[in-house]
Amino acid sequence: MRFDSALGLESRRGPLAVAGKVLIYGLMVVVFTGPLVGLLMSSFSKTLDPTSFSLWPDEFTLENFVQAMDKNVYLYLLNSFVVVGFGLLLQMLVSVFAAYSLARKKFRGMSIVMLIMLTTMMLPEEIIAIPLSLVLADMPLLNVNLIGTYAGMILPVGAWGFSILVMTEFMKEVPVELEEAARIDGAGELRIFATIIVPLCRPALGVIGVFGFTMIWDQYLLPLIVATESTMWTLPIALRSLRSDEEVGIGVLLAASLLALLPSIIAFLAFQRQFMRGLTSGAVKG
């Protein structure tokens, strides 16, 4: 969607209209990219003033990133990648299989299942923190303690109601005739799911991939509950620790913040085409 259409400026002509568009677009660029540019430039600056804004470092240096290594920032970054990598893979698998059951199968209690998923999305993390810690400390039936393990940070994010609902609504729009034709040709349930349903849902996979990555990457409470040693911290927890450490300069904190921000931007750019197609398809079909 073009911004001039959304703002009602497409019918405007003349110098004043052009100046108005330039002004509006300029303000949007400053508002949305200004903080990012400031963070990027300050991360590579040697002399830092938190109240100043610069489009170019006063003294370009990598010292902030070198000091970040001494504070184990890259270890925390690696921990975040491990959690988000396995967590997102598990979440997408669970979402696809659960959505297939909800969208293509009919069974008793389907409405109750959907209601439970919606309820989980409405509950703040702080409310489920204590029950979650008790469950992770003693997994039902298995009697396994996941506190202090990476599995304790990965398994709880494996099922997310938002991803399941997005995939469910998208799969409902896949024509049933395609399945019927495949069954006539002798295709089984698993083959239909893998070769017909999933490929047609690639735009939705892009949507849940972007949102799922951001959700897992920004997790703070769950790693705080599970991690018993600082070597298991993820980057959001480490940023809070660095902020309260008087020995850490603001340059190191900004460098760590940049490292925490870049993966989300890269993830969006990687899934951008599928993400936009998924949003557009949902808008057209809805």
Side-chain angles (χ1 to χ4, degrees):
M1 179 181 293
R2 294 174 54 187
F3 288 110
D4 55 352
S5 297
L7 296 172
L9 299 177
E10 69 279 2
S11 60
R12 304 288 183 176
R13 297 292 185 271
L16 292 179
V18 174
K21 293 178 182 180
V22 172
L23 178 61
I24 292 174
Y25 297 156
L27 290 175
M28 294 180 65
V29 169
V30 171
V31 170
F32 288 105
T33 65
L36 178 60
V37 173
L39 175 62
L40 179 64
M41 295 299 101
S42 298
S43 299
F44 293 95
S45 181
K46 187 174 182 179
T47 57
L48 293 171
D49 182 2
T51 62
S52 65
F53 178 82
S54 176
L55 295 178
W56 189 256
D58 297 332
E59 296 182 40
F60 185 86
T61 180
L62 296 176
E63 184 64 25
N64 295 327
F65 294 91
V66 174
Q67 294 182 14
M69 181 182 299
D70 298 333
K71 296 297 181 179
N72 293 327
V73 171
Y74 297 103
L75 174 62
Y76 307 140
L77 181 64
L78 178 61
N79 291 338
S80 294
F81 277 121
V82 170
V83 173
V84 77
F86 288 100
L88 182 60
L89 177 61
L90 179 61
Q91 185 180 111
M92 296 182 74
L93 288 175
V94 171
S95 299
V96 169
F97 282 104
Y100 182 70
S101 300
L102 294 171
R104 317 305 284 188
K105 307 298 177 183
K106 302 297 181 182
F107 56 90
R108 280 185 184 178
M110 180 183 298
S111 300
I112 297 177
V113 173
M114 298 293 289
L115 180 61
I116 292 175
M117 285 193 300
L118 287 172
T119 303
T120 61
M121 296 172 57
M122 299 175 185
L123 293 176
E125 291 184 346
E126 293 77 8
I127 293 180
I128 63 174
I130 295 178
L132 180 61
S133 63
L134 295 176
V135 171
L136 292 176
D138 187 9
M139 291 289 293
L141 301 179
L142 300 178
N143 295 325
V144 177
N145 183 8
L146 296 181
I147 300 296
T149 65
Y150 287 102
M153 290 185 279
I154 295 172
L155 292 180
V157 299
W160 189 26
F162 174 81
S163 297
I164 295 175
L165 290 175
V166 169
M167 289 301 303
T168 299
E169 294 303 317
F170 204 91
M171 284 188 183
K172 286 181 179 179
E173 301 297 331
V174 177
V176 180
E177 292 77 10
L178 296 177
E179 294 185 45
E180 296 175 348
R183 287 193 176 91
I184 293 175
D185 293 337
E189 194 77 24
L190 185 60
R191 184 177 179 184
I192 293 174
F193 172 76
T195 60
I196 296 178
I197 302 298
V198 174
L200 291 175
C201 294
R202 287 182 60 187
L205 290 174
V207 174
I208 68 173
V210 171
F211 281 105
F213 184 97
T214 305
M215 186 273 288
I216 300 173
W217 185 265
D218 293 338
Q219 279 289 321
Y220 178 82
L221 190 59
L222 179 60
L224 187 64
I225 294 173
V226 176
T228 56
E229 299 179 0
S230 60
T231 54
M232 291 187 61
W233 286 354
T234 55
L235 206 48
I237 300 178
L239 287 175
R240 182 65 183 87
S241 177
L242 291 175
R243 184 180 179 183
S244 60
D245 191 346
E246 297 180 356
E247 297 181 359
V248 176
I250 188 174
V252 178
L253 182 60
L254 290 175
S257 301
L258 179 64
L259 293 175
L261 178 63
L262 286 180
S264 297
I265 297 176
I266 295 173
F268 173 76
L269 295 177
F271 289 99
Q272 182 181 13
R273 180 175 298 179
Q274 289 79 8
F275 180 79
M276 298 306 298
R277 285 179 56 193
L279 294 181
T280 305
S281 300
V284 172
K285 295 176 183 177

